[in-house]
């Protein structure tokens, strides 16, 4: 246990009993009395710690009531604080006073589990659209998820801005391009945005509830489809949580192959996004060039792993596909040729004054706000927050192969693009290092379902940032609850902040530079 | 500028002919495509795309169809922002309950004859997400579908072939 952890635990226990919860694996976990849930958050906040996730579980199948959880990051490890709530009064103290990120976590808990965060400033439902029956709480065990849900009438209360010359631009849910659906509402004066309100939930497919109806192997398939562009990250994070819960140790070779796939996922997505940012500055030439490189990476994926996006390659206990000698040559050859072309394109990118004009000082997310909302991943690293799960927790095999983490502080579109340029380079370096030191041996270990009541917590660094899972096993040996926290769940808060003072026509460019997942957020 | 020109010459033309070996798995359903539709399209097909609840995997491959290697525009296929100009509605994902109305509205806004192609295994039968309180499953449960292109996600090659197959009605 690290020093900071000891000191926060001491500070929390000064106000009431703190009980270690040994059923949670993969993180330190403690139960507190409901009244101390908010107090614990204050202690964490005072220590400058980050709120990672907040979620709820229905534990009635265990003869208990509800539970709310808050996970915090402490010097390379995670601390989970749990409070139990009675079924007849499921109220807990809102953490929004201390943490901006709690804002949507708690709206979601209230909307989908029906627990009340006392003191939350915004009672509007989230993800649960206004035409859902009010008492439809799908994450409760008493809710029949198989039944279609009726539509009721209702209207969403938008934030309004009034005054002379203020007008509103509603955009979506269906967008002009080939992207996911979501709604953005701008209040603008002239071209200047004075407020942006996002409203999501359009692609809510009931993923978290669906987990509870699937077998463990099917659940891995589902995790790999939470956000198609992050399929390796999500499948890996889910499997790691499951492996923690069931005490399964994966072979070294499997951890290397997972990491190779994770870096390849990062490279492919960054290549696509850097190109798309160029496209939004009307430099279509670079967009097409980068898309050719992305295509090369996907074709190698197909040849090596049998799938262009590497879906269904990770399994509980390891991986499904081994890497052959011929595949190694393919990947090394790709690394050589793509890197070479990449550097050539980056020189063009760097020396283009019109790019500079559009990218610098556009969509600025200040380091203070990035920290306040708990941003993660490249969004955080572009705004001065040195966060990277690979480095922070050093999960296998990253402890042995520490990544160099790029850090910029300007927080503008340029920074979010440039951090990714650096990450493409670093991911190729890491991939070659992994290939060079690939251990021999099996690619998967035996695993069994966890003990009833056990749960596992995991975090990995996906290409967007930290992906977190917490999965608990029910009395029947199946999934009782699976909590998914994609990087998008926190990073979406950033765009509303970064857009202030920008002009409406720059929104697509800003949005592209964040490129957060709708599906990973809406679940 | 010189660098750009140099890179353009270095790259040359990368567009590839469609692989004659690979076959797209397509299910053409129900109503025969009216002759009128086929005649009207000739070699210009304007598509309005709607994600009605996908995981974003299908979109990635649909975006790839526009890259220089697949270059869908050579077949006269292009994507439009307005349903009013669209010949075809291309839909991905299981239809989420929260997107049902938007999907129907997009369909209603299209001019006749409306052609609907559903892309990906989810659009066919809900895929791993199935049917639930939040997912209505197949696109066919919400709007009339003319053809389903299978795959999770279908590759760009399969998407292109699937679309071409759907408009040729066989
Ligand atoms: S078919 Fe596959 S890739 Fe397409 S939306 Fe469904 S899960 Fe995602």
């Amino acid at each position: 246990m690290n020093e900071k952890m000891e000191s926060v635990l001491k500070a929390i226990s000064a106000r009431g009993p703190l009980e270690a919860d040994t059923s949670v694996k993969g993180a330190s976990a403690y139960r507190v009395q409901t009244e101390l849930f908010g107090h614990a958050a204050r202690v964490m906040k005072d220590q400058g710690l980050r709120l990672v996730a907040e979620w709820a579980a229905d534990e009635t199948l265990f003869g208990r009531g509800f539970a709310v959880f808050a996970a915090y990051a402490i010097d390379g490890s995670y601390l989970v604080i749990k409070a139990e709530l009675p079924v007849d009064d499921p109220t807990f103290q809102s953490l929004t006073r201390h943490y901006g990120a709690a804002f949507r976590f708690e709206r979601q808990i209230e909307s989908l589990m029906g627990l009340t965060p006392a003191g939350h400033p915004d009672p509007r439902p989230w993800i649960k659209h206004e035409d859902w029956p009010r008492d439809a709480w799908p994450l409760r065990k008493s809710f029949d998820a198989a039944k279609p849900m009726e539509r009721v009438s209702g209207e969403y209360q938008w934030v309004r801005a009034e005054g002379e010359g203020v007008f509103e631009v509603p955009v979506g849910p269906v967008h002009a391009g080939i992207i996911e659906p979501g709604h953005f509402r701008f209040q603008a004066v002239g071209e200047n945005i004075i407020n942006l309100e996002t409203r999501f939930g359009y692609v809510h497919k009931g993923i978290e509830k669906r987990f509870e109806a699937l077998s463990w192997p099917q659940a891995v398939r589902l995790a790999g489809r939470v956000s198609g562009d992050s399929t390796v990250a999500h499948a890996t994070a889910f499997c790691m949580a499951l492996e923690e819960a069931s005490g399964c140790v994966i072979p070294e070779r499997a951890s290397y192959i997972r990491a190779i796939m994770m870096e390849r996922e990062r490279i492919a997505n960054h290549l696509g996004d850097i190109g798309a940012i160029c496209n939004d500055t009307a430099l279509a030439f670079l967009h097409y060039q980068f898309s050719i490189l992305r295509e090369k990476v996907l074709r190698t994926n197909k040849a090596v792993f049998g799938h262009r996006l590497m879906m269904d390659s990770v399994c509980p206990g390891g991986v499904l596909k081994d890497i052959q000698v011929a595949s190694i040559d393919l990947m090394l050859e790709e690394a050589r040729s793509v890197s070479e072309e990449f550097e050539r394109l980056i020189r063009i990118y760097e020396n283009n004054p019109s790019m500079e004009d559009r990218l610098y000082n556009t969509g600025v997310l200040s380091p203070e706000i990035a920290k306040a909302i708990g941003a993660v991943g490249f969004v955080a690293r572009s705004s001065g927050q040195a966060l990277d799960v690979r480095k922070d927790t050093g999960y296998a095999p990253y402890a042995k192969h520490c990544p160099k983490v790029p850090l910029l502080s300007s927080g503008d579109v340029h920074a979010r693009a440039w951090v990714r340029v650096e990450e493409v380079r670093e991911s190729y370096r890491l991939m070659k290092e992994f290939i060079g030191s690939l251990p021999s041996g099996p690619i998967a270990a035996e695993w069994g379902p966890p003990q009833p009541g056990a749960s596992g917590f995991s975090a990995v660094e996906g290409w967007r940032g930290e992906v977190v899972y917490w999965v608990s096993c029910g009395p029947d040996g199946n999934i009782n609850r699976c909590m998914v926290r994609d990087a998008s769940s926190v990073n979406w808060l950033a765009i509303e902040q970064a857009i202030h003072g920008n002009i409406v026509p720059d929104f697509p460019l800003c949005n592209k530079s964040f490129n957060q997942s709708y599906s990973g957020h809406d679940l | 500028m010189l660098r750009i020109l140099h890179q353009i010459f270095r790259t040359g033309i990368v567009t590839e002919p469609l692989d004659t070996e690979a076959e797209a798995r397509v299910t053409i359903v129900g109503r025969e495509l009216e002759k009128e539709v086929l005649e009207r399209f000739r070699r210009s097909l304007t598509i309005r795309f709607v994600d009605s609840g996908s995981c974003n995997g299908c979109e990635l491959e649909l975006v790839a169809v526009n890259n220089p290697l697949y270059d869908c525009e050579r077949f006269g296929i292009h994507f439009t922002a307005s349903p009013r100009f669209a010949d075809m509605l291309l839909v991905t994902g299981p239809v989420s309950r929260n997107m049902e109305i938007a999907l129907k509205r997009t369909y209603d806004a299209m001019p006749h004859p409306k052609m609907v192609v559903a892309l990906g295994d989810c659009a066919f039968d809900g895929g791993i997400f199935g049917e639930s309180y939040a997912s209505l499953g197949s696109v066919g449960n919400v709007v009339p579908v003319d053809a389903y292109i299978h795959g999770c996600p279908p590759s760009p090659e399969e998407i292109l072939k699937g679309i071409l197959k759907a408009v040729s009605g066989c």
Side-chain angles (χ1 to χ4, degrees):
Chain A
M1 190 181 292
N2 57 46
E3 255 175 59
K4 208 167 225 174
M5 181 91 83
E6 266 176 53
S7 87
V8 294
L9 291 178
K10 222 167 117 197
I12 298 170
S13 59
R15 286 272 295 272
L18 192 63
E19 196 189 329
D21 184 350
T22 50
S23 67
V24 183
K25 311 289 177 199
S28 308
Y30 291 87
R31 256 191 302 268
V32 295
Q33 263 144 23
T34 320
E35 313 81 72
L36 289 184
F37 191 65
H39 167 66
R42 225 201 64 207
V43 170
M44 306 291 177
K45 177 73 181 191
D46 289 347
Q47 295 278 342
L49 303 172
R50 179 169 60 92
L51 175 70
V52 174
E54 193 183 351
W55 70 96
D58 179 336
E59 300 189 325
T60 48
L61 294 183
F62 291 101
R64 298 194 290 265
F66 296 107
V68 325
F69 299 81
Y72 303 89
I74 304 185
D75 287 354
S77 54
Y78 293 90
L79 172 63
V80 176
I81 299 288
K82 171 183 179 181
E84 294 185 0
L85 316 178
V87 176
D88 52 5
D89 179 24
T91 306
F92 64 101
Q93 291 155 338
S94 166
L95 308 187
T96 44
R97 286 171 46 205
H98 312 297
Y99 286 104
F103 183 74
R104 279 188 190 157
F105 291 149
E106 289 176 359
R107 281 176 76 184
Q108 204 159 325
I109 291 173
E110 177 159 41
S111 299
L112 304 181
M113 189 69 90
L115 316 185
T116 313
H120 192 290
D122 187 349
R124 294 174 302 165
W126 186 245
I127 290 179
K128 182 179 199 165
H129 281 187
E130 61 285 348
D131 60 2
W132 292 31
R134 279 199 62 84
D135 60 352
W137 295 300
L139 290 177
R140 288 194 176 184
K141 292 292 168 192
S142 54
F143 183 89
D144 181 1
K147 253 192 16 220
M149 205 163 49
E150 57 165 329
R151 273 185 209 280
V152 301
S153 63
E155 207 177 315
Y156 194 68
Q157 299 299 319
W158 293 97
V159 172
R160 296 269 168 204
E162 279 167 18
E164 202 179 309
V166 178
F167 64 96
E168 228 178 49
V169 189
V171 182
V174 178
H175 294 252
I178 304 177
I179 58 166
E180 300 176 86
H183 187 96
F184 299 97
R185 193 165 283 228
F186 303 94
Q187 270 102 26
V189 176
E191 288 206 314
N192 292 319
I193 299 168
I194 54 175
N195 187 45
L196 162 65
E197 189 178 7
T198 49
R199 179 178 179 243
F200 294 148
Y202 291 93
V203 283
H204 175 68
K205 300 177 272 289
I207 290 177
E208 287 188 316
K209 185 72 174 182
R210 185 80 179 153
F211 271 111
E212 298 169 19
L214 299 180
S215 68
W216 293 97
Q218 277 177 316
V220 185
R221 269 179 65 82
L222 179 60
R225 284 159 180 79
V226 166
S227 178
D229 51 34
S230 306
T231 174
V232 180
H234 275 268
T236 302
F238 175 83
C239 286
M240 279 170 61
L242 164 57
E243 288 149 8
E244 286 286 356
S246 59
C248 164
V249 178
I250 72 166
E252 242 199 320
R253 187 175 175 87
S255 72
Y256 275 73
I257 297 178
R258 283 181 182 179
I260 289 172
M261 290 194 286
M262 293 271 267
E263 297 310 325
R264 297 187 59 78
E265 188 163 89
R266 195 179 326 277
I267 293 167
N269 282 295
H270 284 356
L271 287 174
D273 276 5
I274 298 168
I277 290 171
C278 296
N279 199 35
D280 280 347
T281 58
L283 196 59
F285 157 76
L286 277 183
H287 172 54
Y288 287 119
Q289 291 281 337
F290 281 113
S291 70
I292 295 172
L293 298 189
R294 177 182 155 87
E295 181 66 25
K296 280 190 182 161
V297 177
L298 299 193
R299 287 183 180 189
T300 315
N301 287 347
K302 170 87 180 163
V304 176
F305 300 102
H307 193 285
R308 287 165 52 92
L309 306 177
M310 301 176 288
M311 274 180 172
D312 306 322
S313 304
V314 178
C315 65
V319 292
L320 286 167
K321 284 154 201 150
D322 203 356
I323 294 180
Q324 313 299 338
V325 181
S327 301
I328 288 180
D329 294 344
L330 260 180
M331 286 192 284
L332 291 178
E333 169 51 26
E334 172 214 279
R336 195 197 55 73
S337 69
V338 170
S339 300
E340 192 189 309
E341 285 290 304
F342 181 73
E343 295 305 331
R344 210 175 264 124
L345 300 181
I346 292 303
R347 272 197 295 280
I348 296 173
Y349 172 102
E350 273 184 297
N351 292 317
N352 193 303
S354 69
M355 293 282 288
E356 216 178 289
D357 188 43
R358 291 291 303 282
L359 304 182
Y360 286 81
N361 299 319
T362 305
V364 176
L365 179 71
S366 70
E368 297 74 42
I369 294 181
K371 186 169 166 72
I373 61 172
V376 296
F378 68 83
V379 170
R381 294 191 283 277
S382 313
S383 294
Q385 311 302 306
L387 298 175
D388 188 317
V389 188
R390 295 174 298 174
K391 195 168 180 170
D392 299 343
T393 72
Y395 62 96
Y398 292 101
K400 283 192 193 155
H401 307 271
C402 193
K404 282 201 288 287
V405 179
L407 192 64
L408 290 179
S409 58
S410 57
D412 51 5
V413 173
H414 164 73
R416 283 185 291 277
W418 198 257
V419 160
R420 289 197 262 179
V421 168
E422 297 282 7
E423 289 185 9
V424 169
R425 293 170 175 156
E426 179 62 3
S427 288
Y428 266 131
R429 188 191 70 77
L430 280 170
M431 185 190 89
K432 286 189 281 190
E433 206 174 294
F434 293 145
I435 289 175
S437 40
L438 193 63
S440 56
I443 56 164
E446 289 280 326
W447 72 280
Q451 290 296 318
S455 65
F457 181 95
S458 72
V460 302
E461 185 74 16
W463 71 270
R464 277 196 187 89
E466 183 188 52
V467 174
V468 182
Y469 272 73
W470 175 78
V471 60
S472 78
C473 184
D476 58 353
N478 288 319
I479 297 175
N480 186 61
R481 173 87 171 89
C482 181
M483 182 279 294
V484 182
R485 209 234 58 206
D486 187 61
S488 313
S489 306
V490 279
N491 283 353
W492 268 121
L493 284 166
I495 186 127
E496 288 182 355
Q497 303 299 325
I499 202 70
H500 285 160
N502 283 262
I503 54 173
V504 179
D506 266 347
F507 176 70
L509 176 64
C510 291
N511 195 19
K512 201 79 238 173
S513 73
F514 285 98
N515 194 14
Q516 296 302 305
S517 167
Y518 298 72
S519 183
H521 167 280
D522 293 352
L523 299 174
Chain B
M1 195 64 214
L2 271 181
R3 278 216 180 97
I4 295 183
L5 289 175
H6 180 69
Q7 182 68 17
I8 291 173
F9 281 118
R10 267 180 53 86
T11 310
I13 294 173
V14 294
T15 309
E16 300 168 339
L18 283 188
D19 184 353
T20 43
E21 301 283 294
E23 261 309 309
R25 282 179 300 128
V26 178
T27 307
I28 308 270
V29 277
R31 64 193 178 117
E32 282 274 297
L33 279 179
E34 303 108 277
K35 211 162 141 263
E36 182 196 19
V37 181
L38 306 179
E39 277 172 6
R40 271 203 201 169
F41 290 155
R42 298 267 162 73
R43 286 185 67 80
S44 160
L45 181 71
T46 303
I47 300 178
R48 171 67 251 204
F49 157 77
V50 173
D51 168 351
S52 68
S54 104
C55 79
N56 196 31
C58 282
E59 283 68 48
L60 293 177
E61 295 297 52
L62 198 54
V63 168
V65 161
N66 291 278
N67 79 28
L69 288 109
Y70 299 103
D71 184 23
C72 62
E73 296 247 3
R74 72 184 138 146
F75 301 107
I77 297 174
H78 59 269
F79 292 83
T80 173
S82 170
R84 304 260 181 228
F85 308 140
D87 305 308
M88 177 190 284
L89 181 62
L90 189 63
V91 189
T92 59
V95 182
S96 71
R97 180 186 188 278
N98 287 349
M99 269 303 283
E100 181 190 6
I101 293 171
L103 175 62
K104 280 188 178 148
R105 281 197 189 148
T106 309
Y107 177 81
D108 290 342
M110 282 173 63
H112 282 282
K114 307 169 197 259
M115 183 171 185
V116 180
V117 172
L119 189 74
D121 288 348
C122 290
F124 180 64
D125 63 2
I128 188 87
F129 307 105
E131 286 182 24
S132 71
Y133 78 96
S135 160
L136 306 179
S138 172
V139 173
N141 291 341
V142 178
V143 291
V145 173
D146 298 292
Y148 292 96
I149 303 174
H150 302 270
C152 180
S155 67
E157 179 103 12
E158 289 168 328
I159 295 175
L160 265 183
K161 284 192 165 166
I163 292 174
L164 294 174
K165 238 176 169 173
V167 288
S168 65
C170 55

